Amino acid sequence: MPYVLNSNTPAQRWEDALISGNGSTGIMVMGKPVDETVVVNHEKLWVVNAAEKREVVNLQVELSEARKLARAEKFKEAEALLKNAFAEQNRQRYADDTLSGVRIRSDSVHPAFHLRIFTPAAGDVKHYNRAVDLGSGEIKVSRQDDNGTLQRKCFVSRAHDVAAIKIANSPGKKLNCKLRIEEAPGKKTGQLGEVNIEHHDNEMYFHAAYFNTAGRPEPEGYHSLARIICNGGCSRAEGEEISIEDADEILLLLKLEYLDRANAASKETLRKALEQLPEDYDRLLSAHVDIHGEMFDRLRLEFDDKDKKPQTPNEDLLAESEESGPSPQVLEILHAVGRYALISSSGELPPALMGIWGDTWEPAWAGRFTFDSNLNLAVSYGSQGNLPEAMESYFGFIESLYPDWEANASTIYGFRGRLSCIAQGWRHGLAMH
């Protein structure tokens, strides 16, 4: 049985969006029938939240004094001594807007931007459905109106490192559509610096640089190019959006790239990469499924359940579970969803607290990698599911932090060995909290 999640209602909040990803780039599809929002994400898009270079606080003198107090059973005084020393060193070293109380403000995950897709309906919308096939990573949103059945299909390719979106109406029915790229709302002052958005007849471009540099000579950033391929009809830029009229179908190919140096962006390099791809959604999907599907199918959990209802909407399955407990079908889906999420968010880095997805500039716990249990649980399917690729992301990330963890142990305690933070971003492993 294919593992397909489907719903007869669009998402009302980003936490309920359908997700797809190739490990590094991710998309979240809200599934709105007319005015769609696709949130675009990347594993390395974390706000740089310090202007200065991070350094480990040296508490060796204070630790010696605190131990003396502790041996005299003056535990509160020992704790206060360390907290005050930690706070004072940070205040002397960092600007006020870098601090969160006495701590260094953490880097935090954020969305890249929003892709908006407006497809007006002819009359009332009916027979709506949104679904994601976990075995392929493909998301489909469909609706009917007086002009036929409109369907949007999309996925993020492991084979070609692009997000592909196809929009088509019933055979013989023309398609009108408006597209635009816009900043994700909620950005705070000092998170991004310069932002540039361009709309041309057949492409859209987004470029952003971070405001802070953490002591580096140049800011990091990211950019993305979306190529628009119309079968029939015409596409033209109209101010801050693109208008498409009388098309038979639309194919959009989007490539997102993190930049170690924001000024090193090359729009032409992205354009050439997109121009080399097949202008065929099914061919692109097939190449992706060859990789993603093989990984997903290394493990299957199946119960002997004669009452399976493959097309049952998620809402009905969850309602039945609340009433009579989770069915074998629900347990199978939950098992598959965990495996799907790990495959889709294991790239150069392992999945952070929200994987590679999210649509907020102020995520809980900054969206960080948390080492108490969350990261361990996120990669637990790596061994169960025979996914060495995912575990390689995890092992490589941990090993990259060893030098910083060794600096933590030696600077704070004067010890050999390694000391990690309970939670951190990907740029460094220094103990800032």
Side-chain angles (χ1 to χ4, degrees), residues 166-169 175 229-232 247-251:
K166 179 180 177 180
I167 310 170
N169 216 336
L175 174 65
I229 303 163
C230 291
N231 182 1
D248 295 313
E249 65 179 35
I250 301 165
L251 175 62

Side-chain angles (χ1 to χ4, degrees), residues 258-276:
Y258 156 78
L259 299 166
D260 186 59
R261 293 169 45 246
N263 290 334
S266 170
K267 186 197 306 186
E268 185 59 29
T269 299
L270 293 182
R271 183 179 292 119
K272 288 180 178 179
L274 292 176
E275 289 175 347
Q276 292 173 0

Side-chain angles (χ1 to χ4, degrees), residues 361-433:
W361 291 84
E362 292 186 324
W365 292 93
R368 291 173 287 173
F369 298 96
T370 53
F371 296 110
D372 48 2
S373 63
N374 288 293
L375 181 54
N376 295 329
L377 290 172
V379 301
S380 61
Y381 274 101
S383 56
Q384 293 182 40
N386 187 22
L387 296 169
E389 301 92 335
M391 298 311 297
E392 187 64 31
S393 297
Y394 172 71
F395 296 143
F397 174 59
I398 297 298
E399 290 171 356
S400 73
L401 300 173
Y402 281 173
D404 285 348
W405 287 358
E406 289 165 358
N408 294 339
S410 62
T411 304
I412 297 175
Y413 289 109
F415 287 170
R416 292 174 298 167
R418 302 182 180 109
L419 172 66
S420 73
C421 296
I422 190 172
Q424 63 178 66
W426 67 269
R427 291 186 174 97
H428 65 82
L430 298 176
M432 300 282 100
H433 307 282

Side-chain angles (χ1 to χ4, degrees), residues 162-177:
V162 295
I165 300 174
K166 179 180 177 180
I167 310 170
N169 216 336
S170 296
K173 300 290 186 178
K174 296 297 182 179
L175 174 65
N176 296 318
C177 177

Side-chain angles (χ1 to χ4, degrees), residues 52-58 90 93-94 104 408 411 428 430-432:
E52 303 88 350
K53 180 180 179 181
R54 276 85 163 194
E55 296 181 12
V56 182
V57 171
N58 188 325
N90 280 339
R93 185 177 295 157
Y94 297 101
I104 307 305
N408 294 339
T411 304
H428 65 82
L430 298 176
M432 300 282 100

Side-chain angles (χ1 to χ4, degrees), residues 266-321:
S266 170
K267 186 197 306 186
E268 185 59 29
T269 299
L270 293 182
R271 183 179 292 119
K272 288 180 178 179
L274 292 176
E275 289 175 347
Q276 292 173 0
L277 297 177
E279 298 179 5
D280 186 316
Y281 179 90
D282 292 334
R283 280 182 61 191
L284 293 168
L285 178 62
S286 178
H288 164 71
V289 172
D290 284 347
I291 303 171
H292 174 98
E294 188 278 327
M295 295 173 70
F296 184 82
D297 287 335
R298 291 174 194 170
L299 171 69
R300 300 184 76 86
L301 174 66
E302 294 186 359
F303 295 104
D304 186 11
D305 180 14
K306 62 183 178 182
D307 297 322
K308 284 182 184 177
K309 305 169 186 176
Q311 301 304 315
T312 304
N314 299 344
E315 296 88 347
D316 294 346
L317 289 174
L318 292 174
E320 292 173 6
S321 296

Side-chain angles (χ1 to χ4, degrees), residues 93-340:
R93 185 177 295 157
Y94 297 101
D96 289 343
D97 58 2
T98 296
L99 300 176
S100 177
V102 300
R103 300 179 175 185
I104 307 305
R105 195 179 303 278
S106 304
D107 287 357
S108 54
V109 300
H110 69 91
F113 53 82
H114 286 182
L115 169 65
R116 301 293 298 275
I117 304 172
F118 181 75
T119 47
D124 294 335
V125 171
K126 48 197 173 184
H127 302 300
Y128 168 88
N129 183 259
R130 63 183 177 119
V132 56
D133 185 334
L134 305 181
S136 67
E138 184 182 34
I139 298 171
K140 296 180 181 179
V141 179
S142 62
R143 73 167 202 223
Q144 288 185 17
D145 60 21
D146 295 344
N147 194 39
T149 299
L150 181 125
Q151 186 177 67
R152 298 190 301 269
K153 303 191 292 184
C154 59
F155 68 98
V156 186
S157 173
R158 274 191 172 268
H160 297 105
D161 192 25
V162 295
I165 300 174
K166 179 180 177 180
I167 310 170
N169 216 336
S170 296
K173 300 290 186 178
K174 296 297 182 179
L175 174 65
N176 296 318
C177 177
K178 292 185 183 296
L179 304 172
R180 74 174 183 270
I181 283 178
E182 61 186 26
E183 288 193 76
K187 180 185 70 175
K188 305 300 180 184
T189 302
Q191 292 185 313
L192 289 184
E194 180 183 353
V195 175
N196 177 44
I197 303 175
E198 301 174 10
H199 292 86
H200 304 284
D201 288 347
N202 296 301
E203 67 180 26
M204 299 178 287
Y205 181 68
F206 186 101
H207 178 275
Y210 290 108
F211 181 81
N212 286 315
T213 65
R216 299 180 55 176
E218 295 182 46
E220 301 166 58
Y222 61 98
H223 69 155
S224 177
L225 186 70
R227 182 186 177 202
I228 302 163
I229 303 163
C230 291
N231 182 1
C234 64
S235 171
R236 65 179 182 275
E238 295 181 344
E240 296 181 352
E241 66 180 11
I242 292 174
S243 179
I244 299 172
E245 296 179 354
D246 297 328
D248 295 313
E249 65 179 35
I250 301 165
L251 175 62
L252 188 147
L253 303 177
L254 182 149
K255 190 171 182 64
L256 172 64
E257 183 180 35
Y258 156 78
L259 299 166
D260 186 59
R261 293 169 45 246
N263 290 334
S266 170
K267 186 197 306 186
E268 185 59 29
T269 299
L270 293 182
R271 183 179 292 119
K272 288 180 178 179
L274 292 176
E275 289 175 347
Q276 292 173 0
L277 297 177
E279 298 179 5
D280 186 316
Y281 179 90
D282 292 334
R283 280 182 61 191
L284 293 168
L285 178 62
S286 178
H288 164 71
V289 172
D290 284 347
I291 303 171
H292 174 98
E294 188 278 327
M295 295 173 70
F296 184 82
D297 287 335
R298 291 174 194 170
L299 171 69
R300 300 184 76 86
L301 174 66
E302 294 186 359
F303 295 104
D304 186 11
D305 180 14
K306 62 183 178 182
D307 297 322
K308 284 182 184 177
K309 305 169 186 176
Q311 301 304 315
T312 304
N314 299 344
E315 296 88 347
D316 294 346
L317 289 174
L318 292 174
E320 292 173 6
S321 296
E322 289 183 4
E323 185 174 319
S324 55
S327 67
Q329 182 177 350
V330 168
L331 294 176
E332 287 182 6
I333 291 173
L334 289 174
H335 189 270
V337 165
R339 189 164 73 258
Y340 173 76

